Amino acid sequence: MAQTPKESKPVDQLLREKKIYQVVNPKLVQAPSDIALQEAIQLMQREKSSYIVVAEHRRAVGIFTEVDVVRKELGQDVNWNRQLRDFMAPGPKILNIKDSVGAAIDLMGAERFYHIPLVDDRGELVNVISVRTLIRFLAEFYPTEVYNLPPKADQIMWTPEGG
């Protein structure tokens, strides 16, 4: 039996229709705001994560990222026993897991975020969406264009590579 080709939709329509919960990975790294900075960094290293969603009573109250480490701690005389709340970005913008992928892309682009905490309909923290997840999702729709990009943006390939 012959298969019919998948119906092709414009990307903007797909981004409005596809929900975040359909593309997000199940990994969520979270911690309470009262853990020590050193413990938070060790958690990030152990989980191989570039973020921690700071949560209290299942609510996202802050986010701590490797960018925070570089900007706020690196090269500073920091007391590694201070609480994470002193270093996190408080009141993070959040999205519902039922929001569209397009909404996540818009928020990340507008605010220059790499991670956005995700909540359910009760406002409880359930996951996080990362820019890496979105890039992988978008690459599925443009595999030829993505895989054929040169290593440098201004590089022009005059001959095919590989063998």
Side-chain angles (χ1 to χ4, degrees):
M1 180 173 174
Q3 289 184 333
T4 58
K6 288 183 180 178
E7 184 180 323
S8 180
K9 294 181 181 181
V11 173
D12 61 333
Q13 180 182 352
L14 182 69
L15 293 178
R16 284 192 307 270
E17 292 175 0
K18 189 67 102 173
K19 303 302 178 196
I20 293 172
Y21 71 85
Q22 295 173 303
V23 301
V24 76
N25 295 326
K27 182 178 180 180
L28 170 63
V29 179
Q30 63 179 316
S33 64
D34 61 353
I35 68 168
L37 176 62
Q38 181 174 9
E39 189 179 349
I41 292 174
Q42 289 169 346
L43 173 63
M44 291 170 73
Q45 291 171 331
R46 189 170 54 251
E47 294 294 326
K48 296 179 175 61
S49 174
S50 59
Y51 74 91
I52 295 175
V53 177
V54 184
E56 299 292 338
H57 309 290
R58 305 185 86 169
R59 307 278 184 207
V61 297
I63 191 160
F64 180 74
T65 68
E66 60 188 14
V67 172
D68 295 318
V69 173
V70 170
R71 289 187 182 159
K72 296 177 184 176
E73 287 89 38
L74 204 59
Q76 303 294 320
D77 185 20
V78 175
N79 177 351
W80 298 100
N81 293 316
R82 283 179 56 195
Q83 295 181 339
L84 185 57
R85 72 171 49 97
D86 296 336
F87 300 94
M88 70 181 191
K93 302 237 177 169
I94 59 172
L95 289 172
N96 187 292
I97 58 171
K98 293 179 184 174
D99 285 335
S100 71
V101 171
I105 291 170
D106 289 345
L107 182 57
M108 283 184 178
E111 300 289 338
R112 309 285 299 165
F113 292 151
Y114 294 107
H115 301 90
I116 300 173
L118 302 172
V119 298
D120 61 15
D121 290 336
R122 295 180 304 230
E124 294 182 354
L125 180 64
V126 293
N127 212 326
V128 67
I129 189 160
S130 70
V131 72
R132 180 176 292 171
T133 299
L134 292 175
I135 290 170
R136 286 184 182 143
F137 170 74
L138 291 170
E140 290 178 21
F141 296 99
Y142 300 103
T144 302
E145 292 84 348
V146 171
Y147 294 129
N148 289 328
L149 287 175
K152 298 177 187 162
D154 61 343
Q155 181 179 2
I156 298 172
M157 304 300 287
W158 299 110
T159 60
E161 294 292 319

